[in-house]
Amino acid sequence: MKGFRQIIWLIRKDLALQFRTKDTLILIFVFSILVVLIFSFAFGPIFPDDPEDRAKLAASVLWTAFSFAGIITLNRSFDLERANGAIQGVRLTGVDPSNFYLSKVISTLVFLTMLELIVTPIALQFLEVLDVLPAIVQERLLLTLLKLIGVLAIGTLGFCAVGVIVSGISTSTHGKESLLSVVLLPLIFPVIMAGAKCSVSLLTTGGLEGNFWISILVVYSLVFLASAYLLFEFVIEG
Amino acid sequence: MILLQATQITKRFAHRMVLNGVDLDVQAGEVVAIFGPNGAGKTTLIKILSTLVKPTSGAFQIAGIDAIANPLRVRSSLGVVAHEPFAYLEWSPYENLKFFGRLYGVDALEERIADLLADVELTPFAHEPVRIFSRGMTQRFMIAKALIHDPTLLLFDEPFSGLDVAAKQFVLKLIQQERARGKGLILTTHDTELGYHAASRFLFLLDGQIEPVAEKAEIELTELSRQYEQRLKK
């Protein structure tokens, strides 16, 4: 029970600090919108007519924006921990490193999911995806969008599961930010690949029935979450 | 009652042996001052004793518990004041103390925070962000944070550095208060005068090794300073 309460306080701390400064929130929002605009200008103003091509474009934009916004968020989040030895202060309280890991995953997930909730409709509108969705998808538009947010959230969970442990490793090394990007991107490649495939499937058929990629996305995210939860103690305590 | 017992602690960074067989013990109600020049290994020793860094070899127990094998179990017995605040400077002292107090599981936390802020004379600044504080105010905040969970063993790394005369006197007073309450305390410093007034036993840390000097009752300040300077010249 004490461990559960500690996780809650750590999550509240992360979110409170992120919302106190607001710089990360503004940075990742502006960054994501910029990615959407760049793709819109690069592929527009006349986008591909084929709904599948349009869905592929939307999936590329969303997963590119959220992957790099995630890296920025992780960097900023661990910068706050590194600054003035705050993470050592937390370690001294005797918090289980696995609980610290879980709290970071959840707080980053909450933060990025909020971003996805705001940016996804904007991206779909800018890329005019909603205009060309097949009739079967148009009929269940809200449900499809919710499923899309769900897929993005599962992908983000996988991203955070990997990203937090890599950030933890990079905390105690030199070249922190570059190490995070260099090590993290190959590790989250399966998440991005599976997430993008699921997103295309949702925007073209409105469902994931028989979709192999959703299994990959869920299994990869959960396996990494469980193993990193168990291994984080060695990352932080050495 | 022995609060800390360290035996043959060594720490090697690459090819440099920073600590070389350190033996140390601290009793309840005892303040041990460790004098050493810059680079002597004082900070490394405090980091090891606070369980934040693992020694290369050696053993130490805190309150009878093997601190190397069970760092999480012993941390709630420790109050650490280091060079860095170990806190979130965007937050106020109140917010920091509340957050860390909750993680430690402190009972009657609001009262504890109010008492501590009054003790370190930060009540008027309780809701100001720590990042705007002067060095002296930050040091007082760090001491309050180290005491939030009423630890039995305090580890102060250079607690007087960068402080003006009034702030040094304030820290001295706090150390004496905690000693009177039966806490054990290790402080590192290169200032023999302040260390003499703060501590009840003195050690030198030179070339990675501890050299016992004397109990306070056995030595005058002038003799302590003379011995320290003599050892530094060797």
Side-chain angles (χ1 to χ4, degrees):
Chain A
M1 195 61 192
K2 188 186 175 192
F4 178 74
R5 281 203 299 266
Q6 286 178 335
I7 291 171
I8 299 293
W9 290 320
L10 286 165
I11 293 169
R12 283 175 59 177
K13 177 265 296 174
D14 279 341
L15 295 175
L17 282 168
Q18 295 282 19
F19 283 109
R20 171 75 53 92
T21 55
K22 292 190 185 69
D23 56 347
T24 308
L25 191 66
I26 294 166
L27 185 64
I28 61 172
F29 179 74
V30 170
F31 173 82
S32 304
I33 293 298
L34 196 62
V35 171
V36 172
L37 284 176
I38 290 168
F39 273 82
S40 301
F41 284 115
F43 286 87
I46 300 163
F47 295 103
D49 287 333
D50 181 25
E52 191 171 340
D53 288 345
R54 196 78 68 96
K56 283 177 180 171
L57 174 62
S60 320
V61 174
L62 290 174
W63 284 95
T64 304
F66 298 146
S67 300
F68 286 98
I71 291 174
I72 295 169
T73 307
L74 283 172
N75 267 325
R76 305 292 278 211
S77 177
F78 274 83
D79 277 350
L80 284 171
E81 300 298 343
R82 281 191 288 262
N84 310 297
I87 193 168
Q88 312 297 6
V90 173
R91 286 178 65 199
L92 281 170
T93 63
V95 162
D96 189 323
S98 301
N99 290 342
F100 179 79
Y101 166 80
L102 207 54
S103 71
K104 269 282 177 230
V105 170
I106 295 170
S107 59
T108 313
L109 175 67
V110 169
F111 206 66
L112 288 174
T113 304
M114 281 172 47
L115 175 79
E116 288 160 8
L117 281 169
I118 299 167
V119 173
T120 303
I122 296 173
L124 295 180
Q125 191 60 41
F126 263 95
L127 299 167
E128 298 172 10
V129 175
L130 301 176
D131 302 343
V132 295
L133 289 177
I136 188 168
V137 181
Q138 293 276 12
E139 285 165 14
R140 304 180 285 178
L141 186 61
L142 187 61
L143 184 65
T144 305
L145 289 178
L146 287 175
K147 282 182 184 173
L148 181 63
I149 294 291
V151 164
L152 287 167
I154 297 169
T156 308
L157 175 68
F159 174 88
C160 296
V162 184
V164 170
I165 194 165
V166 175
S167 298
I169 294 166
S170 66
T171 297
S172 48
T173 55
H174 296 290
K176 296 165 177 74
E177 291 194 12
S178 52
L179 180 81
L180 178 63
S181 308
V182 169
V183 177
L184 181 59
L185 284 173
L187 284 173
I188 57 162
F189 185 69
V191 171
I192 297 171
M193 189 169 60
K197 291 284 186 189
C198 290
S199 306
V200 172
S201 171
L202 276 171
L203 292 172
T204 49
T205 67
L208 295 164
E209 290 84 3
N211 196 316
F212 160 77
W213 294 105
I214 188 69
S215 315
I216 294 286
L217 190 61
V218 171
V219 170
Y220 190 87
S221 301
L222 292 181
V223 165
F224 237 105
L225 185 70
S227 12
Y229 178 82
L230 296 172
L231 291 172
F232 202 70
E233 182 177 350
F234 301 102
V235 170
I236 288 291
E237 297 294 332
Chain B
M1 181 186 155
I2 295 178
L3 295 178
L4 179 141
Q5 188 153 36
T7 319
Q8 289 297 300
I9 297 283
T10 66
K11 184 66 185 177
R12 181 190 289 275
F13 290 114
H15 298 295
R16 186 166 168 245
M17 189 69 100
V18 178
L19 298 174
N20 190 5
V22 168
D23 292 321
L24 181 64
D25 63 89
V26 182
Q27 310 272 344
E30 185 181 36
V31 179
V32 177
I34 300 175
F35 300 105
N38 292 338
K42 302 188 297 291
T43 298
T44 304
L45 180 61
I46 292 292
K47 281 183 178 170
I48 288 172
L49 297 179
S50 60
T51 73
L52 293 175
V53 169
K54 283 200 164 78
T56 306
S57 66
F60 71 104
Q61 288 85 39
I62 292 170
I65 300 168
D66 182 344
I68 297 171
N70 307 290
L72 300 185
R73 273 182 66 199
V74 301
R75 283 177 185 166
S76 58
S77 313
L78 301 174
V80 181
V81 173
H83 291 285
E84 291 182 297
F86 288 178
Y88 300 95
L89 303 199
E90 287 299 321
W91 269 356
S92 65
Y94 173 81
E95 288 169 311
N96 271 291
L97 292 178
K98 192 161 185 176
F99 170 68
F100 286 104
R102 280 171 159 173
L103 289 185
Y104 279 116
V106 176
D107 294 326
L109 186 56
E110 291 292 336
E111 286 168 36
R112 178 77 183 144
I113 292 171
D115 290 347
L116 273 175
L117 288 174
D119 285 350
V120 298
E121 298 175 7
L122 283 178
T123 306
F125 309 99
H127 299 285
E128 304 284 332
V130 178
R131 68 178 153 77
I132 66 165
F133 283 8
S134 68
R135 176 82 183 102
M137 289 165 79
T138 306
Q139 192 77 344
R140 280 186 274 151
F141 158 69
M142 286 158 65
I143 291 172
K145 186 185 152 289
L147 298 175
I148 184 73
H149 55 299
D150 201 19
T152 50
L153 179 64
L154 298 166
L155 305 169
F156 285 11
D157 189 13
E158 303 268 11
F160 307 108
S161 80
L163 301 184
D164 62 18
V165 177
K168 283 174 182 171
Q169 291 304 318
F170 187 88
V171 174
L172 265 179
K173 193 180 86 181
L174 268 169
I175 289 172
Q176 296 306 336
Q177 275 175 8
E178 292 306 313
R179 185 189 172 196
R181 295 177 60 211
K183 306 278 175 73
L185 198 147
I186 298 174
L187 70 92
T188 66
T189 180
H190 51 256
D191 187 323
T192 46
E193 189 177 346
L194 285 165
Y196 182 83
H197 292 305
S200 55
R201 183 155 62 95
F202 313 110
L203 308 169
F204 293 157
L205 179 59
L206 299 160
D207 301 323
Q209 291 185 312
I210 288 280
E211 296 178 13
V213 182
E215 300 275 340
K216 191 170 193 171
E218 300 165 354
I219 195 166
E220 294 288 325
L221 170 60
T222 47
E223 176 58 15
L224 178 71
S225 302
R226 191 192 65 76
Q227 283 189 23
Y228 182 56
E229 281 168 25
Q230 201 172 36
R231 282 298 289 114
L232 289 182
K233 284 177 189 162
K234 273 189 185 174

